[in-house]
Amino acid sequence: MTNERFTLAVIGGTGAEGGGLALRWAHAGHKVIIGSRQPEKAEEAAKQLNVLLGSDAIQGMESRAAVAAADIAVLAVPFAAQQATALGLAEVLAGKILVDVTVPLMPPKVSQVQLPASGSCVVDLQQALGDGVRVVSAFQNVSAHKLKDLNYQIACDVLVCANDKAARQSVIQLAGDAGLRGVDAGVLANSTVAESLTSVLIWINRTYKIPDAGISITGLPAV
Amino acid sequence: MTNERFTLAVIGGTGAEGGGLALRWAHAGHKVIIGSRQPEKAEEAAKQLNVLLGSDAIQGMESRAAVAAADIAVLAVPFAAQQATALGLAEVLAGKILVDVTVPLMPPKVSQVQLPASGSCVVDLQQALGDGVRVVSAFQNVSAHKLKDLNYQIACDVLVCANDKAARQSVIQLAGDAGLRGVDAGVLANSTVAESLTSVLIWINRTYKIPDAGISITGLPAV
């Protein structure tokens, strides 16, 4: 597999999950732009990530400019902000891949599966955005707090779902570039698994008093 | 953990999944009864399993008699027969644990998640049966075809969901007795993960050309 270099806009890169992925992708050689509604917040987040990275490679921009400059956009915002954020960027997302990391957690019962009526908030987003954006579901099950430790080997596979095979392949590559194993998990409707699994992992963390339950797909050939 | 011995009625034990579990439980020392609408089919299935077991321990009975004689019933029938089969046994299930193995696959697209509107066919069954039966969701992700090889170490964890903690614990024990690791995965609503995951595992089997994709929960302490 030849590894492509992408320009990535990480919307919600001011948070732990988005910031950690941004850091790992920049470390792997991608051009990374943190996007936020407030450009000064994006710049501040980029600055802090650059300290960990040891370079000035990560930039910060207002979300629209970030997506406009990118090949692939990554949405890592809370569930409550998911649709509004993405729809506000619909124009600049046109023709691009949007990687949706959203987990539909419904506080306070976050260890109980409570999916939207359709069974998938990513499917809902794809319908809202229309076919002009290739939405990919990924990274919902990766615990955020170790992502910023570049040397930490996170024991969690990334289930990658999308209706477009080429888009799935690009995001499987991005999982690998973040030090994780991406697994082709099928069409976008299969995102139900990843979206519901996070609540089960939270339950398992609490029940077994462990910090970072994850999943591994067994039976796959070694890379 | 002290291991209890149960009398188990396996409804659908004439099929591969139920039969394989029945064999492994009998091998572990439980009293196992295969249940079928037609008692002669149950007896024939028991006879074949007893050949593999090397004893006469497994019995076959009409489903109602099997459940009446058991502490715990296991439902391993196709999705289309799930509700009717369980509701037909409601009277003898009263006060007992019912382990539901049903995967809501909707042929022909079995590699695409298509859950019922509620998000879980096991939750639907619990509602139909009422609180007098403690329904437990488990074993949906275990590939059937290696279960009958008693020495084969299957690489797949069993997500165990139920609203009753004691019922979860009993079924976690049953997973262990079948040579699998049972994991406490929370309330019955969390069954969505196990019910949807089977379609993803089927997709992965086809995409990666492997026979038996499974899952392992990472980060758990060693037993």
Side-chain angles (χ1 to χ4, degrees):
Chain A
M1 186 163 68
T2 55
N3 261 26
E4 266 190 274
R5 292 218 178 174
F6 297 111
T7 298
L8 304 167
V10 182
I11 310 305
T14 55
E17 184 85 18
L21 290 171
L23 178 67
R24 286 182 171 227
W25 286 325
H27 184 70
H30 296 290
K31 186 172 175 189
V32 175
I33 309 167
I34 302 294
S36 174
R37 272 188 301 182
Q38 297 165 268
E40 59 277 14
K41 282 204 177 172
E43 285 161 20
E44 178 57 31
K47 200 170 141 189
Q48 290 181 18
L49 291 172
N50 280 329
V51 172
L52 297 173
L53 189 62
S55 85
D56 286 332
I58 300 175
Q59 292 178 273
M61 293 182 189
E62 191 275 328
S63 296
R64 177 172 291 268
V67 174
D71 309 306
I72 296 177
V74 179
L75 186 66
V77 298
F79 177 43
Q82 178 208 24
Q83 284 245 3
T85 304
L87 291 174
L89 298 166
E91 208 179 304
V92 277
L93 284 169
K96 296 183 178 172
I97 290 172
L98 174 63
V99 185
D100 191 352
V101 180
T102 306
V103 182
L105 296 178
M106 302 270 272
K109 293 192 176 176
V110 295
S111 68
Q112 182 173 325
V113 174
Q114 297 176 84
L115 294 181
S118 70
S120 162
C121 73
V122 189
V123 168
D124 289 346
L125 185 63
Q126 176 73 77
Q127 282 178 351
L129 288 169
D131 288 341
V133 182
R134 288 179 291 165
V135 178
V136 182
S137 160
F139 299 107
Q140 292 94 340
N141 308 129
V142 179
S143 177
H145 81 275
K146 288 290 186 187
L147 279 172
K148 285 186 185 163
D149 180 349
L150 287 170
N151 296 314
Y152 188 85
Q153 181 71 38
I154 295 172
C156 189
D157 286 343
V158 176
L159 300 176
V160 179
C161 302
N163 294 333
D164 182 81
K165 184 179 177 180
R168 280 201 304 271
Q169 293 300 333
S170 293
V171 179
I172 289 169
Q173 184 206 311
L174 286 179
D177 293 344
L180 301 154
R181 181 171 68 168
V183 177
D184 185 336
V187 295
L188 203 60
N190 290 359
S191 172
T192 294
V193 175
E195 292 178 48
S196 56
L197 183 59
T198 300
S199 287
V200 167
L201 296 175
I202 293 170
W203 175 281
I204 290 171
N205 284 340
R206 290 177 181 174
T207 301
Y208 293 90
K209 298 179 174 53
I210 57 172
D212 288 314
I215 61 148
S216 173
I217 299 295
T218 61
L220 286 171
V223 180
Chain B
M1 187 163 69
T2 54
N3 260 26
E4 268 190 271
R5 293 219 179 171
F6 297 111
T7 299
L8 304 167
V10 183
I11 311 305
T14 53
E17 184 85 18
L21 289 170
L23 178 67
R24 286 182 170 228
W25 285 324
H27 184 69
H30 296 290
K31 186 173 175 188
V32 176
I33 309 166
I34 302 295
S36 174
R37 272 188 300 182
Q38 296 165 267
E40 59 277 14
K41 281 206 177 171
E43 284 160 22
E44 177 57 31
K47 198 171 144 189
Q48 290 181 16
L49 292 172
N50 280 330
V51 172
L52 298 173
L53 188 62
S55 85
D56 285 332
I58 300 175
Q59 291 178 274
M61 294 183 191
E62 189 275 329
S63 296
R64 176 173 292 265
V67 174
D71 308 307
I72 297 177
V74 179
L75 186 65
V77 298
F79 177 43
Q82 177 209 25
Q83 284 246 1
T85 305
L87 290 174
L89 299 166
E91 209 178 303
V92 279
L93 285 168
K96 295 182 179 174
I97 290 172
L98 174 62
V99 184
D100 191 354
V101 180
T102 307
V103 182
L105 296 178
M106 303 270 272
K109 291 192 176 176
V110 295
S111 68
Q112 181 172 328
V113 175
Q114 298 176 85
L115 294 181
S118 70
S120 161
C121 73
V122 190
V123 168
D124 289 346
L125 184 63
Q126 175 74 75
Q127 282 177 351
L129 288 169
D131 289 340
V133 182
R134 289 178 292 164
V135 178
V136 182
S137 157
F139 300 106
Q140 292 92 341
N141 309 130
V142 178
S143 177
H145 81 274
K146 288 291 186 186
L147 279 172
K148 286 187 185 162
D149 180 349
L150 287 170
N151 296 314
Y152 189 84
Q153 181 70 42
I154 295 174
C156 187
D157 286 343
V158 176
L159 300 176
V160 179
C161 302
N163 294 332
D164 182 80
K165 185 177 174 181
R168 281 201 304 272
Q169 292 301 331
S170 293
V171 179
I172 289 169
Q173 183 206 309
L174 286 179
D177 293 343
L180 301 154
R181 182 171 68 168
V183 177
D184 185 337
V187 295
L188 203 62
N190 290 359
S191 172
T192 294
V193 175
E195 291 177 47
S196 56
L197 184 58
T198 300
S199 288
V200 167
L201 295 176
I202 293 170
W203 176 281
I204 290 171
N205 284 341
R206 290 177 180 174
T207 302
Y208 293 91
K209 298 179 175 52
I210 57 174
D212 287 315
I215 60 148
S216 173
I217 299 295
T218 61
L220 286 171
V223 180

